[in-house]
């Protein structure tokens, strides 16, 4: 059974994910979070210390399972020797989109939160997000450069950065759809698995075409 202290902390984190995902860091007041969480500023100070620390804790909680799964898949691929670019892209993309599947009803909230933080206008907030994801992401970039030996390192890095951006766009649900297109036409609708396959196929083709150009 959860203690009241644990319940308050989790409630603040849950509401922070929702509100930061909807309004961004600067557009979300600490008061709005505490009111929605039936808490107060003192509770935030007690559990986290500040608004930024609350955001950092929410990012760390959301990214922990993603980083763990990405690291596990990469370790497994490298143990077998010489993973292909497609295998690396799949191992990176699927855990990010699995946020929707593994969190149940809260999946879309968490995915939107991560996508929004990754695109926050504040460099400070983007750096905070990067601090939670850079170690494992750096390994994937290095692995892709090995898997694509004929490509210039800067070309692989360009493709990699664009892969990160496209994934975050889907997570944040910030993609603008052309007139007449339904969600299912773009991202698989309610099927994250279909979205993953579409996105992986697109990225593999983009890496192949872009690095041959």
């Amino acid at each position: 059974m959860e203690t009241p202290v644990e319940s308050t902390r989790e409630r603040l984190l849950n509401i922070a994910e929702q509100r930061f995902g909807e309004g961004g860091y600067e557009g979300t007041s600490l008061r709005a979070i505490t009111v929605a969480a039936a808490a107060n500023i003192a509770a935030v100070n007690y559990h986290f210390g500040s608004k930024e620390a609350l955001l950092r804790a929410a990012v760390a909680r959301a990214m922990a399972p993603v980083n763990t799964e990405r690291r596990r898949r990469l370790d497994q691929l490298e143990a077998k020797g010489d993973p292909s670019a497609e295998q690396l892209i799949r191992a990176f993309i699927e855990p990010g989109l699995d946020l929707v599947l593994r969190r149940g009803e809260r999946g879309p909230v968490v995915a939107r939160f991560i996508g929004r933080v990754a695109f926050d206008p504040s460099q400070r907030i983007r750096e905070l997000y990067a601090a939670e994801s850079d170690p494992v992401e750096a390994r994937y970039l290095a692995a892709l450069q090995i898997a694509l030996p004929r490509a210039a390192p800067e070309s692989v890095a360009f493709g990699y950065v664009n892969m990160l951006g496209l994934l975050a766009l889907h997570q944040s649900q910030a993609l603008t759809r052309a007139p007449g297109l339904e969600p299912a036409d773009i991202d698989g609708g309610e099927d994250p698995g279909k979205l993953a396959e579409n996105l992986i196929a697109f990225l593999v083709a983009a890496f192949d075409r872009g690095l041959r150009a």
Side-chain angles (χ1 to χ4, degrees), residues 62-83:
M63 287 301 298
V66 179
N67 288 336
T68 297
E69 179 62 9
R70 283 175 174 165
R71 190 176 297 109
R72 184 193 69 79
R73 291 192 183 201
L74 183 54
D75 287 343
Q76 189 175 63
L77 287 173
E78 291 182 333
K80 294 178 180 179
D82 301 323

Side-chain angles (χ1 to χ4, degrees), residues 3 6 46 101 118 141 159 198 200:
T3 67
E6 290 171 332
Y46 175 76
L101 295 172
L141 175 55
N198 290 344
I200 290 165

Side-chain angles (χ1 to χ4, degrees), residues 55-179:
L55 175 67
R56 184 181 297 109
V59 171
R61 185 181 71 162
M63 287 301 298
V66 179
N67 288 336
T68 297
E69 179 62 9
R70 283 175 174 165
R71 190 176 297 109
R72 184 193 69 79
R73 291 192 183 201
L74 183 54
D75 287 343
Q76 189 175 63
L77 287 173
E78 291 182 333
K80 294 178 180 179
D82 301 323
S84 67
E86 180 174 357
Q87 288 175 318
L88 292 167
I89 290 169
R90 178 176 297 278
F92 187 88
I93 291 294
E94 286 183 340
L97 294 179
D98 277 353
L99 281 173
V100 179
L101 295 172
R102 295 184 178 188
R103 300 276 182 150
E105 294 181 358
R106 290 190 56 251
V109 173
V110 179
R112 184 167 57 248
F113 163 65
I114 290 298
R116 187 66 180 260
V117 172
F119 280 111
D120 196 278
S122 166
Q123 181 177 348
R124 169 64 182 161
I125 300 306
R126 294 196 303 273
E127 289 174 349
L128 183 153
Y129 167 76
E132 294 297 329
S133 56
D134 270 357
V136 68
E137 287 185 4
R139 285 187 60 195
Y140 271 89
L141 175 55
L144 277 168
Q145 290 174 333
I146 293 172
L148 300 163
R150 291 179 292 177
E154 59 269 22
S155 297
V156 179
F158 178 81
Y160 184 71
V161 168
N162 280 275
M163 177 174 72
L164 297 180
L166 190 55
L167 174 59
L169 276 172
H170 279 284
Q171 289 174 323
S172 65
Q173 301 176 349
L175 282 172
T176 300
R177 298 185 177 94

Side-chain angles (χ1 to χ4, degrees), residues 27-45:
T28 303
S29 70
L30 197 53
R31 176 172 175 75
I33 293 172
T34 56
V35 168
N40 52 44
I41 301 297
V44 174
N45 292 334

